[in-house]
Amino acid sequence: MISRDEVLELKIESVAFEGKSIARVDGFVVFVAGGVPGDVVKARVYKKKKDYAEAKIVEILSPSAHRVEAPCDYFGYCGGCRWQHLDYAEQLRFKRQHVIDALERTGGLKIEVDPIIGAEEVYRYRNKIEVTFSGRPYWIHEGDPATVALGFHAPGRFDKTIDIRHCHLADENINAILNWFREAIDPQSNINREFELTIYDSMQHAGLLRFLTIRKSFDSGEYMVNLVVLEEEERIGRLAEMLHRDLPFVSTFATIVNRSRAQIATGEVGRVHFGSGYITEKLGKYRFRISPLSFFQTNTLQAEKLYGAALEGVGQKQEVIYDLYSGTGSISIYLSDIAEKVYGFELIESAVKDAEENSRLNGVSNVRFFRTDLLDLFKGSDPVGNFGGLGIPEPDLILLDPPRSGLHPKIASNLHLLGAQKIVYVSCNPMTQARDVKEIVSHGYALVSSQPVDMFPQTYHIENVLTLRKV
Ligand code: SAH
């Protein structure tokens, strides 16, 4: 029997979700943080439950052939990239396997899953990073001097922030902006002496600086900086001038004001201190305006591949497409060429506004967006009547791109009532996707294809495009 504090010699067999790996002792599962399949390790048990134990590596006795050196100083502390120690081919293999397992185990569905579409750029791929200003740094090493931090939350420690000096998922300009602000909050720096910047403290609901969001357009090379603050203050204007002078590649700077206690990097757009207040990115032949509060896929290059996979799923030209969970309309617009009419449905008003703006920007006139709660349309006895009430024709094809939690059960069970010949389901969570598709299939649809796309190298996340046909 395994007991707490015991040191075991383990051979890592596979990876589990959330970056843990799995080993077995006489069939008993031991989760090991940071193991790579093929590693032989010594690990100390720190948790013992009825069905499993958790252990921490003390020594790697023989490394796996797939183990690589993680380039990041914060690897193992920061929750962002859990798989930097796994070579990329192996990451892709596990991601595809995760899709297969979810479909089989959660969905009871068997289908040949297509080879995963991997990324060419496996670092520096993000077009956005969002960091927190904090007066409570997470000390990685005993005696770390920092008293303030700008970076990501330490996993499981929502009150603490890791001071990130370099994020490998972002390019050097994004990192330069990050470090400019780090210097600005350093109590010893000239910038701070001049501006007396304070950091927001959630207990006291006081302090100026809350979050920093940096975005980049891969197409135009523009950079947008958004500072989330408790209040709009005059000194932010002077800080912006200084940033503009020091880092001329920053194209635009705007504040976002968040007066609420909720620690979220959003609020109302405040002053645009310089530049236009937005950047423009391109996906395929379409251009998208990204404003401080707009949602946009964070990996531009892979977003094109994901939408390409959706386009492939759609196949030949359609009369009427419904894009459910249309967000800022990027998929609707991307599909506008291959349909007579596209109707997008989205809950958030500002996203619908962005979607309409983006259609205009691209001269696309055959898409229309509805601001609506999809649950309202699907509940009750007559979803078809609810959609009909909007004065639009029935769909030939439905595209779905819901949040991670997937479809509401009412939507999954009533979707078939709309009678679409085809359904294309884009998901960032294979588990909820498999659960939903199991339901959809039970109402007379068959799986046609499954195409995984890797949007987030170095993490365990995976997107999957499933295509279904009415039988
Ligand atoms: N395809 C979109 C992104 C979809 S993300 C794009 O490319 O921009 C999922 C979207 O679903 C979010 O915009 C969210 O606001 C929306 N959403 C969540 N619940 C909803 C509901 N009940 N009804 C309508 N939209 C919803």
Side-chain angles (χ1 to χ4, degrees):
M1 249 344 248
I2 293 170
S3 52
R4 241 195 92 152
D5 281 337
E6 193 176 337
V7 175
L8 305 167
E9 190 173 315
L10 300 168
K11 172 141 190 176
I12 308 293
E13 292 174 10
S14 57
V15 288
F17 217 48
E18 316 235 303
K20 286 178 182 158
S21 62
I22 298 177
R24 284 192 172 80
V25 180
D26 299 330
F28 188 82
V29 171
V30 183
F31 290 106
V32 185
V36 172
D39 280 346
V40 179
V41 301
K42 268 189 181 168
R44 186 186 304 279
V45 177
Y46 64 90
K47 195 189 263 176
K48 166 78 184 16
K49 297 269 185 185
K50 202 163 112 267
D51 302 324
Y52 68 94
E54 289 189 51
K56 204 178 167 138
I57 296 177
V58 195
E59 191 187 342
I60 297 173
L61 298 174
S62 148
S64 160
H66 300 294
R67 178 175 275 280
V68 293
E69 184 85 38
C72 179
D73 290 345
Y74 314 102
F75 179 68
Y77 303 101
C78 173
C81 304
R82 303 282 179 105
W83 278 6
Q84 285 189 3
H85 61 327
L86 212 60
D87 70 42
Y88 188 55
E90 203 61 357
Q91 291 182 21
L92 291 179
R93 198 169 72 75
F94 286 120
K95 289 186 191 211
R96 178 168 176 270
Q97 191 59 44
H98 181 54
V99 171
I100 296 171
D101 290 348
L103 286 171
E104 278 186 26
R105 293 180 198 159
T106 306
L109 301 158
K110 255 200 157 28
I111 182 175
E112 181 59 30
V113 172
D114 291 340
I116 182 169
I117 298 175
E120 273 146 49
E121 181 60 85
V122 299
Y123 283 102
R124 300 155 52 100
Y125 59 77
R126 289 189 64 99
N127 57 27
K128 174 186 178 186
I129 66 163
E130 190 178 288
V131 283
T132 308
F133 290 98
S134 169
R136 294 196 185 83
Y138 178 83
W139 287 15
I140 291 178
H141 306 294
E142 199 61 42
D144 274 358
T147 53
V148 289
L150 179 58
F152 305 120
H153 284 291
R157 295 298 307 266
F158 290 104
D159 58 327
K160 299 262 185 186
T161 300
I162 304 175
D163 195 44
I164 302 278
R165 278 145 204 269
H166 185 93
C167 175
H168 288 261
L169 300 191
D171 75 4
E172 62 280 358
N173 285 344
I174 292 179
N175 278 298
I177 298 167
L178 173 70
N179 283 310
W180 191 89
F181 279 92
R182 156 164 312 88
E183 155 120 28
I185 57 169
D186 181 341
Q188 308 299 325
S189 74
N190 290 335
I191 303 180
N192 204 345
R193 280 203 203 107
E194 180 171 349
F195 295 105
E196 294 179 354
L197 299 168
T198 51
I199 290 172
Y200 179 76
D201 180 304
S202 53
M203 307 283 209
Q204 301 180 11
H205 191 51
L208 180 63
L209 305 178
R210 301 187 72 163
F211 303 94
L212 174 69
T213 305
I214 308 167
R215 310 228 236 192
K216 162 191 180 182
S217 163
F218 278 70
D219 174 59
S220 65
E222 297 164 290
Y223 290 83
M224 175 162 68
V225 171
N226 297 123
L227 197 59
V228 184
V229 293
L230 182 64
E231 292 289 348
E232 190 75 78
E233 287 185 24
E234 179 273 330
R235 59 185 158 153
I236 300 169
R238 286 185 291 128
L239 186 73
E241 275 171 29
M242 191 179 268
L243 175 75
H244 199 28
R245 200 188 58 215
D246 289 353
L247 303 179
F249 60 82
V250 177
S251 349
T252 185
F253 180 111
T255 39
I256 297 173
V257 179
N258 177 0
R259 291 192 189 85
S260 82
R261 284 186 170 267
Q263 261 298 56
I264 40 173
T266 182
E268 285 162 40
V269 179
R271 267 177 61 196
V272 176
H273 293 279
F274 60 82
S276 58
Y278 60 84
I279 56 175
T280 306
E281 181 65 297
K282 227 170 156 181
L283 290 180
K285 61 180 179 184
Y286 300 107
R287 286 145 50 81
F288 294 90
R289 175 177 292 193
I290 306 172
S291 310
L293 302 180
S294 314
F295 166 85
F296 196 76
Q297 294 280 357
T298 47
N299 184 337
T300 306
L301 303 173
Q302 287 305 94
E304 286 188 343
K305 296 192 186 158
L306 182 71
Y307 291 178
L311 207 57
E312 187 104 334
V314 172
Q316 78 272 44
K317 181 139 189 175
Q318 306 286 325
E319 287 288 318
V320 177
I321 295 181
Y322 285 5
D323 176 10
L324 306 188
Y325 308 93
S326 52
T328 45
S330 49
I331 295 183
S332 295
I333 292 168
Y334 215 82
L335 300 182
S336 60
D337 243 7
I338 201 174
E340 285 298 323
K341 289 270 179 205
V342 182
Y343 299 98
F345 301 84
E346 164 61 41
L347 185 61
I348 308 288
E349 172 98 49
S350 66
V352 171
K353 287 229 170 77
D354 284 341
E356 286 165 346
E357 179 67 39
N358 282 329
S359 314
R360 265 195 298 277
L361 190 66
N362 289 289
V364 167
S365 55
N366 61 337
V367 302
R368 196 175 149 197
F369 297 96
F370 294 93
R371 200 224 58 84
T372 176
D373 186 339
L374 283 164
L375 194 52
D376 289 340
L377 288 170
F378 277 98
K379 73 181 181 202
S381 56
D382 187 18
V384 180
N386 293 343
F387 278 92
L390 299 171
I392 57 175
E394 287 173 11
D396 300 290
L397 185 144
I398 296 175
L399 186 127
L400 302 161
D401 183 16
R404 284 190 71 72
S405 53
L407 303 179
H408 186 280
K410 263 261 141 352
I411 299 183
S413 61
N414 279 343
L415 196 67
H416 69 282
L417 296 174
L418 296 182
Q421 286 301 320
K422 244 181 169 184
I423 296 173
V424 177
Y425 188 152
V426 180
S427 165
C428 58
N429 185 343
M431 301 287 248
T432 54
Q433 185 185 39
R435 176 201 69 198
D436 295 341
V437 167
K438 182 182 186 183
E439 180 65 29
I440 295 169
V441 162
S442 76
H443 295 284
Y445 283 86
L447 266 186
V448 178
S449 64
S450 165
Q451 174 63 72
V453 181
D454 186 21
M455 302 282 282
F456 301 107
Q458 318 307 333
T459 79
Y460 49 78
H461 293 291
I462 179 68
E463 315 278 306
N464 186 40
V465 180
L466 279 182
T467 305
L468 300 108
R469 181 178 289 287
K470 197 168 165 187
V471 286

